[in-house]
Amino acid sequence: MVALKMVYVMGVCLLLLFAGGTSVSGSTLAYSQQVRKISGIVKNTQGEPVIGANILEKGTSNGTITDINGLFTLRVSPNAVIKVSYIGYTEQEIAIGNRNRLDIVMTEDTRLIDEVVVVGYGKQKKATVTGSIAQVSGTELKQSPAANLSNSLVGRLPGVIANNRSGEPGNDYSEIYIRGKGSLGDNSPLYVIDGVANRGGIERLNPSDIESLTILKDASAAIYGAQAANGVILITTKRGSDSKPVITYEGNFGLSEHTRTPDLMNAYQYMVYDDEINAHFGRTQKYKDIKNGYLDGTIDPLQYANTDWMDVMFKAAPQTQHSLSVRGGNDRVKYYMSGGYLYQEPGFKHTNLNFQTAQLRSNLDASITKDFTVTLELAMRQENRHNSNYDSGTFFWEGFHAYPFLPAYYPNGLPGPGLSWGNNLAILTSGKTGYDKIKDTFINSKMAFDLKMPWILHGMYLSGYAAFDSHFRSEKKLMDMWDAYRYNPATKDYDNIRSTTGDGNINLTQQFDDGHTTTLHLKLGYEKRFAEHSINAFIAYEQSKTKGDWFSAYRRDFLSDAVDYMFAGSDNLKDNNGSGSISARQNFFGRLSYGYKDRYLAEFTLRRDGSQNFSSDSRWGWFPGLSVGWRISEEKFFKDNIPQVDELKLKASWGKLGNDRVDPFQYVSTYDMSDGAAFGRDPQRQKGFTIGRVANPDITWEKVTTKNIGFESILFKQKLSFDLQYFYSMRKDILTPKQASIPDYTGLTLPDQNIGKISNQGIEASISYRNKFKELGYYVGGNLTYAHNKIHFFDEAANVPDWQRRTGHSIDSWLVYKTDGIYQTQQEIDASPHLMNTQPGDIKYLDVDGDGSITSNDRVRIYESATPEIVYGINMGGTWKGFELNVLWTGQARAKQMIRPGSYNRDVTYFNNRWISATETPNARYPRAFERDDTFNSINSDFWLKDASFIRLKNIELAYNLPASFLKKMSISTLRLYVSGFNLFSIDHIKIQDPEGTNAGGMYYPQQRIYNVGVNISF
């Protein structure tokens, strides 16, 4: 209802525009003397009024629109036929006959519900879009209970490759690539929020504020010029409507747990494994007499515990998210205001660590006159990270390296010593070792206007905005000392090792960082329809400037953590530092779109960009884009012969895009501040400068030529849709070092040069089927993306063997030794090239170059990486009465992960499946017991390279909408209750860690599985 009411005002404006700004009356229409008045109401299939529906007498310009109650009146000629239309509903033609009163019921048109899509600097009808664009609604994104919005994109849009590498609160974003990678440098897309670029990513936006999210993937992104090479993501937030205030509360609560938690060896297994390592090398077996005590129960628990460090660390963790909004307005002022709050805890036991986000948003639109509208937007967000002074990587390092026979707590409750320096994980994860408090504050503001100028030319308008964005970060990190104990069997006492904990002193570091961006934009446009012709054109100017400052200070030797302020530290080894940054861009651009009968379509964009990152001689560039489309389904011969096809559009595009995301000021030589040297009769050290980077005055941006061809189709009365796209891009002038031409022994470092060249190509496909059987509505669909890149040049050394070359292959790859199982006997070893001192139970490496020995030259390239070349999503669900079910599966293929143990303790699967002897375990999956620095089995090889393909139940949501008749008694508009799950399970080849993780040893914060319940209620 809110969305319908919002369109009501738009309908009024359009009617006035086409009617020349005058009201419709009998004196202005060519009617006969027998004109009569009719009235009626327009409702949808749920009985709700359709506000702003167009009522037009066929063959005339005589018409009106329905009011806020769905009512209309109209004077028509005898025997008139009226046309009733509204976005999202099937158009109807109704013969009046002798009736004076009409009750009209409109049915939804599934093709037109998503009719308008957001594009760069504007909106277009979906039917007339010629570029490769994908859009998802905020409603769909909210089906995911993921706290980080970037994780909600996965599997929902073709062309989007997204991988989540960590589940740590505050750091749980997905890496997002549009159509894969195409550069040796920055491959991240450009984010544009409410028309303003470079406002950061989407990770922490309130999902309840999102109206839609659009991806520009081909020449449609050329309108963003030098920042468009990696694709563009457009986020549009909700706005007000012409309706009474609608108050909406959305809240949910969830529990998160690891998708996979490392299952490490217990104390007995660890001792057996370690003794086997020592026995293999002829060393003393340290635990020979101790390990049996675990079996017969005679072990002293004060000296030898049996600790599962993963269990010590982890538990299920709570998260909750809330949003409260009000939306409404009238024909003069429309408003949308909201507040959101997110709270997450890491999955640590007895911890005081957490991550919180609070945000406010206000979007106001005011019509000063019928032709002049002003807009004020304000968004504020604060992110508070209460982290440990140790990062999560340290926790996992300690967890994998701490002996499992060390106690977390002694029987008397005192905490154990940890592996060293008192780093007991039970203490580290609690937050008692200090803290790292980070506060990020974002303030985005925008003032805009839109002026229609019919007194100059109907369809002409002038619009513009000024946006002021700020980001303030403060970080305060305290390194504390704490109590940990080591049992002394000689004295029977527990020795406090506090003096060895932390850095051996209490110290404090504080940092302050602030950045400010000002963006100015002015656009002159023209939009008009002439019978069968439509024109949409604009020219625009835009500039942006960003300035930043950073400062830090450090003091140590605090007497206590109770006074954690700089003045309380000593002058001993105190330090401070600071720096600044600046960047600027200036752009001129425009677009011309033309359509004939909405059948033959063409669009041309052109942008001239200037970037401060480059010298004045290389600063400016042209970025054109061209796309065409043919709605062949609108041709008479097609309609008459293939009525099963409702919509078929062929389209193609070509464009030039740029990427200026490189380190700034590489076109000038730099100097680094150093401690200098001692000078004078009484020598004192004086600061000085040393030569830093050598200048490259010719540096410029990467340039991408992109091509796209495809089709969109809708069949069988809007039940089935199918899209297919092929894309190809060639990126040149990639900034990369020319190091292969200079031997390492020279010690020279050349500046980066624009010499790289990479192509990228692939296909995208999506299919969707919707239907209804009585009261059961259902849908099923899917999308698939294949993207393959190829390096054409990047200055690779000429003496690199063919089997190790990157040129001619993918950007990312693995350089590994090739293997052939595990040696079983000494005879096998003697009969083949091998590493010196190889013994049975070691991995067998192949002599690839045939020189009779195993050297680095025998490594080969495996042209797959952690970034998949194939991703897909499968969505399905249905509605029945008030129930809804939404299910999303996601998957990937052609990806490989290096899963190699690299620590003292390791997953129990390596213990259970290790090689022991040729007779006992001839078919062992893993080599003999080995340590992390083992030169035989710990090196990167295809033995440890695992297929990272998977299919995952990414999201499932079951909801119930209470009946309107029941809610009406309580003055409630809608009430929706739901349960949902995220990352519930996956089917894959990697069992010891999540297939999306990239750390070879599994020492990272795992991805999260979330169970969630929530409610949406509107008044």
Side-chain angles (χ1 to χ4, degrees):
M1 285 300 295
V2 171
L4 300 181
K5 294 176 182 178
M6 182 174 65
V7 177
Y8 175 67
V9 174
M10 297 171 58
V12 172
C13 294
L14 289 172
L15 183 63
L16 292 176
L17 177 64
F18 284 101
T22 62
S23 60
V24 179
S25 67
S27 61
T28 59
L29 300 173
Y31 278 21
S32 70
Q33 296 294 324
Q34 296 152 4
V35 188
R36 64 193 180 89
K37 180 180 178 182
I38 64 169
S39 62
I41 184 170
V42 179
K43 297 180 288 187
N44 60 23
T45 53
Q46 284 76 44
E48 300 168 328
V50 178
I51 305 162
N54 292 297
I55 314 296
L56 182 69
E57 183 177 355
K58 188 175 181 180
T60 74
S61 60
N62 175 39
T64 186
I65 60 177
T66 56
D67 65 16
I68 198 168
N69 297 310
L71 300 172
F72 71 92
T73 59
L74 184 66
R75 293 182 178 275
V76 298
S77 59
N79 302 316
V81 174
I82 63 170
K83 297 172 67 175
V84 184
S85 62
Y86 185 72
I87 295 174
Y89 293 89
T90 303
E91 183 178 290
Q92 298 183 41
E93 291 190 5
I94 302 171
I96 299 299
N98 296 323
R99 292 176 292 177
N100 293 320
R101 171 76 184 181
L102 299 174
D103 289 326
I104 302 169
V105 178
M106 302 195 74
T107 58
E108 290 183 349
D109 186 332
T110 56
R111 179 184 63 175
L112 298 178
I113 287 177
D114 223 3
E115 187 182 35
V116 177
V117 297
V118 177
V119 296
Y121 298 100
K123 295 182 178 181
Q124 291 182 3
K125 290 183 178 180
K126 184 177 180 180
T128 60
V129 169
T130 52
S132 182
I133 294 174
Q135 181 167 296
V136 63
S137 69
T139 301
E140 289 182 71
L141 295 176
K142 286 192 299 182
Q143 292 172 4
S144 169
N148 193 309
L149 191 61
S150 67
N151 297 326
S152 301
L153 294 183
V154 182
R156 299 188 185 278
L157 295 162
V160 177
I161 297 176
N163 284 112
N164 175 239
R165 303 305 189 190
S166 170
E168 182 181 9
N171 196 37
D172 50 356
Y173 60 89
S174 283
E175 296 174 348
I176 295 177
Y177 304 112
I178 306 301
R179 291 182 164 176
K181 290 185 176 181
S183 174
L184 296 170
D186 193 331
N187 285 278
S188 59
L190 171 68
Y191 292 92
V192 180
I193 301 175
D194 284 332
V196 183
N198 299 304
R199 284 183 153 177
I202 63 172
E203 290 87 359
R204 296 301 167 191
L205 293 181
N206 182 357
S208 298
D209 288 341
I210 306 299
E211 187 72 39
S212 66
L213 185 147
T214 305
I215 312 288
L216 309 183
K217 298 176 285 188
D218 64 340
S220 59
I223 197 68
Y224 289 98
Q227 298 188 79
N230 301 325
V232 181
I233 297 180
L234 309 175
I235 301 96
T236 303
T237 61
K238 294 177 179 177
R239 311 201 71 82
S241 61
D242 185 4
S243 69
K244 67 177 184 179
V246 177
I247 300 173
T248 302
Y249 166 76
E250 301 177 67
N252 60 70
F253 175 82
L255 287 175
S256 65
E257 63 180 14
H258 301 333
T259 54
R260 289 180 187 165
T261 301
D263 184 13
L264 304 183
M265 292 184 286
N266 62 32
Y268 173 77
Q269 292 166 336
Y270 176 85
M271 291 180 176
V272 171
Y273 198 86
D274 191 71
D275 275 353
E276 287 183 8
I277 295 173
N278 290 322
H280 179 82
F281 290 104
R283 300 191 298 245
T284 301
Q285 299 181 45
K286 295 181 292 184
Y287 307 110
K288 186 174 183 180
D289 299 325
I290 300 170
K291 58 192 176 187
N292 291 330
Y294 284 98
L295 300 179
D296 58 26
T298 61
I299 196 74
D300 181 0
L302 292 178
Q303 297 187 66
Y304 296 99
N306 187 16
T307 304
D308 181 347
W309 288 110
M310 295 296 111
D311 183 64
V312 167
M313 275 200 289
F314 295 121
K315 66 175 180 61
Q319 70 172 49
T320 186
Q321 194 163 10
H322 305 270
S323 177
L324 182 65
S325 67
V326 58
R327 190 178 196 177
N330 52 39
D331 59 346
R332 301 299 296 270
V333 178
K334 301 177 182 65
Y335 55 85
Y336 174 81
M337 290 177 284
S338 73
Y341 175 75
L342 167 71
Y343 175 86
Q344 288 178 277
E345 282 185 17
F348 301 138
K349 289 182 177 178
H350 314 298
T351 187
N352 62 4
L353 309 177
N354 59 70
F355 171 74
Q356 301 180 62
T357 299
Q359 52 189 303
L360 299 171
R361 181 175 297 276
S362 174
N363 290 340
L364 302 176
D365 301 285
S367 298
I368 307 303
T369 69
K370 67 183 182 67
D371 294 324
F372 185 55
T373 301
V374 295
T375 296
L376 176 62
E377 301 171 6
L378 180 64
M380 302 174 64
R381 182 174 81 254
Q382 188 171 95
E383 301 174 8
N384 289 287
R385 292 169 171 83
H386 184 187
N387 297 337
S388 168
N389 52 314
Y390 292 97
D391 60 37
S392 62
T394 300
F395 296 156
F396 281 87
W397 192 95
E398 293 287 346
F400 275 79
H401 288 78
Y403 305 130
F405 53 78
L406 293 173
Y409 291 95
Y410 290 106
N412 62 2
L414 293 178
L419 179 63
S420 57
W421 305 302
N423 287 355
N424 182 339
L425 281 168
I427 303 174
L428 293 185
T429 57
S430 69
K432 296 177 181 178
T433 63
Y435 60 75
D436 187 8
K437 296 180 180 179
I438 302 173
K439 180 182 292 185
D440 287 291
T441 303
F442 301 84
I443 302 175
N444 297 334
S445 61
K446 176 183 171 184
M447 293 173 287
F449 74 92
D450 184 83
L451 176 65
K452 295 179 173 61
M453 299 185 291
W455 60 87
I456 298 178
L457 184 65
H458 279 285
M460 181 175 286
Y461 64 91
L462 180 69
S463 64
Y465 68 76
F468 306 95
D469 302 331
S470 299
H471 174 203
F472 306 93
R473 165 171 277 213
S474 65
E475 180 175 6
K476 190 173 184 179
K477 185 174 183 179
L478 178 74
M479 179 68 74
D480 207 345
M481 301 175 70
W482 59 92
D483 296 319
Y485 298 85
R486 179 178 289 112
Y487 176 69
N488 187 333
T491 64
K492 308 296 184 182
D493 290 331
Y494 297 86
D495 300 329
N496 193 329
I497 58 173
R498 180 184 179 86
S499 61
T500 68
T501 60
D503 289 341
N505 67 86
I506 302 175
N507 58 72
L508 181 68
T509 302
Q510 285 189 258
Q511 298 182 9
F512 300 91
D513 193 359
D514 68 84
H516 306 272
T517 300
T518 301
T519 306
L520 303 177
H521 171 94
L522 186 66
K523 179 170 71 171
L524 177 65
Y526 177 72
E527 185 174 0
K528 191 67 175 177
R529 191 176 189 92
F530 305 93
E532 297 174 331
H533 307 272
S534 61
I535 294 177
N536 190 329
F538 73 81
I539 55 174
Y541 168 80
E542 188 173 281
Q543 69 176 42
S544 66
K545 185 175 183 179
T546 300
K547 298 180 69 174
D549 289 287
W550 173 81
F551 174 80
S552 72
Y554 166 84
R555 284 199 179 191
R556 51 174 286 162
D557 301 326
F558 285 73
L559 298 178
S560 167
D561 60 3
V563 185
D564 51 352
Y565 297 98
M566 280 293 168
F567 79 89
S570 73
D571 290 336
N572 178 33
L573 298 176
K574 69 180 180 182
D575 193 20
N576 59 71
N577 200 356
S579 65
S581 63
I582 186 171
S583 66
R585 293 184 175 92
Q586 192 175 34
N587 322 295
F588 302 88
F589 55 97
R591 176 167 59 217
L592 172 63
S593 300
Y594 171 75
Y596 176 66
K597 294 184 176 180
D598 285 342
R599 184 185 307 167
Y600 310 110
L601 311 165
E603 181 173 289
F604 176 71
T605 62
L606 183 64
R607 181 161 174 139
R608 182 162 174 77
D609 261 3
S611 174
Q612 184 182 309
N613 288 343
F614 314 113
S615 69
S616 56
D617 295 334
S618 307
R619 181 162 294 169
W620 290 90
W622 292 99
F623 301 94
L626 174 66
S627 59
V628 294
W630 177 27
R631 296 178 68 198
I632 189 172
S633 56
E634 296 299 301
E635 300 286 0
K636 187 175 185 304
F637 73 85
F638 195 97
K639 288 183 177 181
D640 293 343
N641 293 287
I642 315 178
Q644 298 88 351
V645 179
D646 308 304
E647 175 79 19
L648 177 60
K649 178 171 59 178
L650 309 180
K651 59 183 183 180
S653 68
W654 170 92
K656 288 199 171 182
L657 318 174
N659 182 21
D660 69 348
R661 296 182 188 176
V662 299
D663 291 337
F665 305 115
Q666 294 189 49
Y667 58 88
V668 295
S669 295
T670 61
Y671 295 85
D672 299 329
M673 181 75 74
S674 69
D675 288 338
F679 293 99
R681 189 169 295 173
D682 182 14
Q684 292 184 353
R685 183 172 291 277
Q686 305 292 327
K687 284 186 176 294
F689 291 95
T690 59
I691 295 176
R693 183 177 56 215
V694 178
N696 176 5
D698 298 322
I699 180 178
T700 186
W701 39 50
E702 301 175 359
K703 302 176 182 68
V704 180
T705 300
T706 181
K707 302 171 185 177
N708 191 94
I709 187 169
F711 70 87
E712 300 174 6
S713 61
I714 302 175
L715 302 88
F716 309 126
K717 298 181 179 180
Q718 292 83 52
K719 292 185 177 68
L720 177 67
S721 64
F722 178 65
D723 297 350
L724 181 65
Q725 311 284 324
Y726 168 77
F727 59 88
Y728 177 86
S729 67
M730 175 62 75
R731 187 178 306 220
K732 63 179 183 178
D733 290 342
I734 298 172
L735 201 66
T736 184
K738 198 171 183 179
Q739 292 299 106
S741 306
I742 303 296
D744 292 339
Y745 59 77
T746 64
L748 298 177
T749 301
L750 296 178
D752 290 351
Q753 299 181 41
N754 296 104
I755 56 175
K757 189 175 182 181
I758 294 175
S759 65
N760 187 39
Q761 64 178 324
I763 60 170
E764 297 171 3
S766 63
I767 188 170
S768 177
Y769 180 77
R770 291 179 176 271
N771 207 345
K772 195 169 186 179
F773 178 74
K774 296 183 179 180
E775 295 185 78
L776 175 65
Y778 58 93
Y779 69 92
V780 61
N783 63 79
L784 179 141
T785 301
Y786 167 72
H788 175 75
N789 57 63
K790 176 181 176 182
I791 299 175
H792 293 262
F793 183 78
F794 80 116
D795 195 37
E796 190 169 29
N799 62 349
V800 173
D802 289 342
W803 56 89
Q804 292 184 2
R805 294 185 68 82
R806 294 177 64 194
T807 304
H809 303 283
S810 302
I811 295 172
D812 296 321
S813 58
W814 295 100
L815 185 60
V816 297
Y817 287 92
K818 199 168 181 59
T819 64
D820 185 26
I822 297 172
Y823 282 117
Q824 301 294 321
T825 65
Q826 188 63 43
Q827 289 75 14
E828 285 185 44
I829 298 172
D830 296 338
S832 65
H834 56 271
L835 296 173
M836 186 178 295
N837 298 323
T838 296
Q839 296 185 34
D842 289 329
I843 295 173
K844 179 180 181 180
Y845 300 103
L846 298 182
D847 179 20
V848 174
D849 64 357
D851 67 352
S853 61
I854 304 300
T855 67
S856 61
N857 228 34
D858 294 312
R859 293 178 298 172
V860 298
R861 286 277 174 193
I862 304 296
Y863 297 105
E864 293 180 48
S865 71
T867 301
E869 287 191 346
I870 296 174
V871 295
Y872 55 90
I874 303 170
N875 59 315
M876 57 186 69
T879 59
W880 180 72
K881 295 185 176 179
F883 290 95
E884 295 177 41
L885 177 65
N886 300 289
V887 181
L888 175 65
W889 298 82
T890 62
Q892 67 178 36
R894 292 190 59 80
K896 283 206 165 40
Q897 296 278 27
M898 183 65 67
I899 309 297
R900 173 179 51 80
S903 57
Y904 289 121
N905 200 352
R906 51 195 55 180
D907 197 284
V908 71
T909 188
Y910 297 115
F911 177 86
N912 292 333
N913 298 280
R914 73 195 187 283
W915 186 93
I916 299 175
S917 69
T919 55
E920 191 175 349
T921 55
N923 298 315
R925 288 168 52 195
Y926 298 111
R928 60 167 175 83
F930 64 97
E931 54 196 353
R932 63 172 185 167
D933 298 323
D934 186 290
T935 57
F936 300 96
N937 301 301
S938 284
I939 58 179
N940 280 357
S941 68
D942 62 3
F943 188 94
W944 304 111
L945 201 57
K946 305 301 180 183
D947 183 358
S949 302
F950 66 82
I951 182 170
R952 189 195 297 274
L953 180 55
K954 191 68 175 180
N955 194 74
I956 184 169
E957 180 193 54
L958 178 63
Y960 179 65
N961 298 278
L962 274 69
S965 57
F966 172 76
L967 298 176
K968 187 175 182 181
K969 301 173 184 177
M970 298 179 287
S971 299
I972 298 175
S973 300
T974 60
L975 178 56
R976 185 175 189 265
L977 307 173
Y978 63 90
V979 294
S980 59
F982 180 75
N983 277 354
L984 293 182
F985 69 88
S986 64
I987 302 172
D988 60 85
H989 304 282
I990 301 173
K991 305 303 180 184
I992 63 174
Q993 70 180 59
D994 194 284
E996 288 190 72
T998 56
N999 188 291
M1003 290 184 285
Y1004 73 102
Y1005 196 104
Q1007 290 77 4
Q1008 296 297 289
R1009 178 186 298 114
I1010 303 172
Y1011 306 97
N1012 194 62
V1013 296
V1015 59
N1016 297 351
I1017 183 169
S1018 295
F1019 301 92

